[in-house]
Amino acid sequence: MAGCYDVVFTDPPYTAAGQLLFLRAGLIALRNTRSSSLFLCASRLYLGPDQIERIIRAAEHAGFQLFGIDEDFNEYKAPPDVVKDIRQREGQPKLYLYSSLFHYKPRADVLNPESLPFSPAEIYQYEDGTVGS
């Protein structure tokens, strides 16, 4: 399936490793044309500004340009374990989890998926040391 798609939409685990792994897989799946697009969902609840910036820089290093961000694009009814986690992180319960949609387009004729880390064992490992499901 490498190089077979013009558009890839992915909603990976909201960890840095999950984002980078799915970004890499999406990059491999895309046709190498400037008209291709990759859409990647990310929750700012679980990914801090430094992590988001690191993911954007990694995408740029691999040959992408961030074309746009649609904040709170996705709205999910949070399952009980996520409601509990939101309460612990933000101090108040919320019934919904939101994620933003990052739109990337190739900026070069050569995309380099090998420049992105490949660590599938860490996709549910948050940087604060907790493990998600």
Side-chain angles (χ1 to χ4, degrees), residues 31-93:
R31 284 191 175 94
N32 195 9
T33 66
R34 291 185 187 257
S35 62
S36 297
S37 287
L38 185 137
F39 296 91
L40 184 80
C41 298
S43 172
R44 293 184 187 275
L45 175 66
Y46 290 101
L47 295 163
D50 291 343
Q51 292 171 300
I52 296 283
E53 186 58 35
R54 191 170 75 224
I55 293 161
I56 292 170
R57 280 195 315 269
E60 290 172 347
H61 183 70
F64 278 118
Q65 176 180 344
L66 181 62
F67 192 71
I69 302 172
D70 190 351
E71 297 294 344
D72 296 338
F73 176 82
N74 289 315
E75 175 184 73
Y76 304 96
K77 183 158 175 65
D81 60 329
V82 174
V83 170
K84 180 181 175 185
D85 193 45
I86 292 170
R87 184 180 305 122
Q88 289 174 341
R89 290 175 184 266
E90 295 188 349
Q92 57 184 338

Side-chain angles (χ1 to χ4, degrees), residues 91-113:
Q92 57 184 338
K94 291 185 180 174
L95 297 179
Y96 293 92
L97 173 67
Y98 297 90
S99 69
S100 299
L101 182 65
F102 291 76
H103 179 191
Y104 295 96
K105 293 184 81 54
R107 66 168 167 74
D109 291 331
V110 177
L111 296 174
N112 183 13

